[in-house]
Amino acid sequence: MRLHLSTWTEVEAYLQTSTGIIIPIGSTEQHGPTGAIGTDAICAEAIAEAVGTATQSLVAPTINVGMALHHTGFPGTISLRPSTLILVIRDYLTCLARSGFTKFFFINGHGGNIATLKAAYSEAYAHLADLNIPNIDRIECQTANWFMCGSVYRLAKELYGDREGSHATPSEVALTQYLYPETVKSTPLDPNNLSSERKILGAADFRRRYPDGRMGSDPSLATPEHGKQFFDLAVKDLTASYLEFLVE
């Protein structure tokens, strides 16, 4: 059940049975020479919609632009500053909390959002308390990173080993290929460009350290068949996590 395809009366009726909502969040950023710029949002949205179907839960519109300032040295990347994203999250939660939602389950597709989401929750809790929002003591946010699900992580290691890397990974590229087969692309990759450094100072520094956008990854290993496996595992794990979150 997608929020943006529902009527307000349908949402009001839904709130009589559940105050939980799933919010997909990703990023619009470079994913190496073969990965779609929308990878992080595409993956989060598809998994969130499947979890929503499995749990008969509302799914909010995807937050497609996240915190990706370090990728802005590559054409096509769009990023919010952490302070801006914090306010976006706060305003989303304020509107939804006023409607009666209390359980906010963010399915995240971008590692760069994690720290900002944590800060945004603290900002939102304080803001909602200042507004005397009803049920403030029951309002709770949780981040679920699909790529960190135990089963997903284990499969990525099994299929790709150290060549999974940490950005423009074959696992996320594979999932995007499964969802959008027309995005399958191949191009020669520099075999020497497999640095797995994690230190990032900014956009120019990132482009210098990782010239083609990859971080220790080999996305040429990705296949749509692998992507379906990752999708099924993530949906299963996050469906269980969301149901558990609702009763905590």
Side-chain angles (χ1 to χ4, degrees):
M1 187 176 176
R2 301 181 188 181
L3 180 69
H4 63 288
L5 296 180
S6 305
T7 65
W8 72 264
T9 55
E10 290 171 326
V11 175
E12 187 170 69
Y14 171 86
L15 284 164
Q16 299 304 307
T17 60
S18 176
T19 60
I21 188 166
I22 299 167
I23 306 175
I25 181 170
S27 184
T28 300
E29 65 185 46
Q30 69 83 18
H31 271 77
T34 59
I37 285 174
T39 292
D40 290 345
I42 288 168
C43 295
E45 180 174 81
I47 292 168
E49 289 181 355
V51 173
T53 298
T55 60
Q56 293 297 291
S57 298
L58 265 177
V59 179
T62 302
I63 302 174
N64 289 283
V65 179
M67 206 306 288
L69 291 175
H70 49 296
H71 291 295
T72 53
F74 296 85
T77 296
I78 304 172
S79 178
L80 300 178
R81 295 178 180 275
S83 54
T84 305
L85 184 56
I86 287 171
L87 293 179
V88 169
I89 299 297
R90 189 197 73 180
D91 287 354
Y92 260 58
L93 297 180
T94 299
C95 293
L96 292 169
R98 278 181 165 147
S99 296
F101 290 96
T102 63
K103 290 281 196 172
F104 303 98
F105 192 74
F106 285 78
I107 293 185
N108 177 43
H110 173 49
N113 288 337
I114 296 174
T116 304
L117 279 170
K118 185 176 181 180
Y121 300 159
S122 295
E123 175 81 20
Y125 293 147
H127 181 67
L128 294 173
D130 289 343
L131 295 176
N132 292 316
I133 294 287
N135 299 317
I136 182 62
D137 59 323
R138 294 170 51 203
I139 291 174
E140 184 178 1
C141 303
Q142 181 169 307
T143 302
N145 305 300
W146 77 264
F147 50 90
M148 295 178 69
C149 291
S151 60
V152 169
Y153 180 83
R154 287 190 293 274
L155 179 61
K157 286 301 180 183
E158 176 186 327
L159 292 174
Y160 313 127
D162 292 341
R163 296 167 80 183
E164 166 73 351
S166 56
H167 181 65
T169 62
S171 59
E172 61 183 343
V173 170
L175 180 45
T176 308
Q177 290 177 347
Y178 165 62
L179 297 168
Y180 292 93
E182 67 273 19
T183 66
V184 176
K185 297 179 177 67
S186 62
T187 189
L189 301 176
D190 182 355
N192 297 313
N193 186 22
L194 288 174
S195 171
S196 58
E197 295 180 65
R198 295 298 183 98
K199 184 179 180 181
I200 301 170
L201 300 180
D205 178 68
F206 188 102
R207 182 84 189 242
R208 178 180 63 82
R209 292 175 186 270
Y210 312 104
D212 69 1
R214 294 177 295 140
M215 294 180 70
S217 64
D218 185 356
S220 68
L221 301 174
T223 69
E225 293 73 23
H226 290 168
K228 184 180 189 313
Q229 294 180 63
F230 287 119
F231 178 79
D232 291 343
L233 290 172
V235 170
K236 181 179 179 180
D237 279 12
L238 295 184
T239 294
S241 295
Y242 178 63
L243 291 174
E244 182 179 344
F245 173 63
L246 289 179
V247 299
E248 287 178 347

